[in-house]
Amino acid sequence: MIKVCLADNYPVVHFGVKSYFKDHAEISIVANVGNFLMVRDILLTKEIDVLILDLELEGLSSIFEVKSVLKNFPKTKIIIFSGLSEQIYAPNAIKAGVSGFIHKKEKLETLGVSIIKVHQGKIIINETVKKNLALIAKQSKSERLYRKLSNREVEVLRYLSDGKKNHEIAEILKLNEKTISTYKLRLLTKLNVTNLVDLVNKAKTLEIV
């Protein structure tokens, strides 16, 4: 039996997933957590084969924290189960070491199949993401700009788009405010804009946030 922990903000998601897998022959939901701080506690006290994790989970501020979990608990596979843009976040997540990215619009049947495959050591990326990446490679330079952004730059851009100030982002990501300013300048340069408003609009146009 594959032991699974679901980490998500919303009780309705927990209820839906747990109900779906209640009588599953191969998968057992053995833990449910509502914030990132609880993830480590669960992994320390229970044997978890697969962690289903939402990137927008309360307390999770950076993909680098996910990498830390993978490093400290190498026997646990991670599947990102999120409503964030697959085109942007799936490649970054896979690069960080997670084993799969499933968008929340997918059926729970797809999640179940992915859990089994990931437990077998496979890497899961939705076919839509694969097709998008193939198309992106053929797109214009401006359309491919997001590929130049690092994981950290994507995170900073996401918080800027949410209206957060440099010092707020620095506190969330536990970085120096000057470092955030540097990332902001890099983003302006890479996305070829001169101000924050245009930066956010460009990011939305390219579905980076």
Side-chain angles (χ1 to χ4, degrees), residues 192-207:
N192 194 31
V193 292
T194 58
N195 58 72
L196 181 58
V197 173
D198 288 343
L199 177 65
V200 172
N201 288 335
K202 187 69 169 287
K204 290 179 178 178
T205 299
L206 298 177
E207 296 185 344

Side-chain angles (χ1 to χ4, degrees), residues 5-63:
C5 172
L6 173 64
D8 194 278
N9 291 328
Y10 302 105
V12 66
V13 175
H14 287 282
F15 177 80
V17 172
K18 196 165 186 177
S19 297
Y20 180 83
F21 291 107
K22 183 179 179 181
D23 300 313
H24 200 282
E26 298 179 73
I27 298 169
S28 176
I29 307 297
V30 299
N32 295 77
V33 298
N35 64 69
F36 190 67
L37 293 177
M38 295 173 67
V39 169
R40 183 178 177 84
D41 292 337
I42 288 294
L43 294 179
L44 285 171
T45 57
K46 290 190 176 184
E47 182 181 334
I48 302 296
D49 298 310
V50 180
L51 171 65
I52 309 300
L53 178 68
D54 190 341
L55 286 178
E56 295 183 288
L57 181 69
E58 182 181 347
L60 174 59
S61 60
S62 170
I63 192 68

Side-chain angles (χ1 to χ4, degrees), residues 32-203:
N32 295 77
V33 298
N35 64 69
F36 190 67
L37 293 177
M38 295 173 67
V39 169
R40 183 178 177 84
D41 292 337
I42 288 294
L43 294 179
L44 285 171
T45 57
K46 290 190 176 184
E47 182 181 334
I48 302 296
D49 298 310
V50 180
L51 171 65
I52 309 300
L53 178 68
D54 190 341
L55 286 178
E56 295 183 288
L57 181 69
E58 182 181 347
L60 174 59
S61 60
S62 170
I63 192 68
F64 293 93
E65 292 178 311
V66 177
K67 291 178 70 173
S68 178
V69 169
L70 288 164
K71 180 180 179 181
N72 293 321
F73 303 94
K75 292 183 180 180
T76 300
K77 307 291 186 182
I78 295 181
I79 293 177
I80 299 301
F81 187 49
S82 177
L84 292 173
S85 170
E86 293 171 284
Q87 182 172 305
I88 300 303
Y89 291 93
N92 282 341
I94 297 298
K95 184 179 178 181
V98 307
S99 297
F101 189 108
I102 305 298
H103 197 277
K104 283 187 172 179
K105 66 185 178 184
E106 297 291 339
K107 296 179 179 179
L108 287 177
E109 179 184 356
T110 300
L111 179 61
V113 171
S114 299
I115 290 172
I116 293 171
K117 289 184 176 180
V118 162
H119 186 246
Q120 294 170 344
K122 299 177 182 178
I123 302 297
I124 303 298
I125 304 180
N126 189 283
E127 286 300 319
T128 302
V129 175
K130 293 180 181 178
K131 291 177 182 179
N132 284 344
L133 292 176
L135 289 172
I136 290 165
K138 299 177 182 179
Q139 290 175 344
S140 67
K141 183 177 179 181
S142 62
E143 290 173 313
R144 289 186 284 111
L145 279 172
Y146 87 90
R147 301 183 72 189
K148 297 181 180 180
L149 303 185
S150 67
N151 287 342
R152 186 66 85 186
E153 287 167 346
V154 170
E155 289 172 346
V156 170
L157 182 51
R158 177 179 163 193
Y159 287 121
L160 286 172
S161 298
D162 285 341
K164 289 184 169 53
K165 305 298 183 183
N166 287 10
H167 69 90
E168 294 175 310
I169 300 173
E171 184 175 347
I172 292 171
L173 297 179
K174 297 179 176 59
L175 296 172
N176 188 284
E177 186 174 345
K178 186 176 180 180
T179 300
I180 301 301
S181 296
T182 299
Y183 280 123
K184 184 176 177 180
L185 287 174
R186 288 180 186 173
L187 287 165
L188 290 169
T189 300
K190 289 185 177 183
L191 293 183
N192 194 31
V193 292
T194 58
N195 58 72
L196 181 58
V197 173
D198 288 343
L199 177 65
V200 172
N201 288 335
K202 187 69 169 287

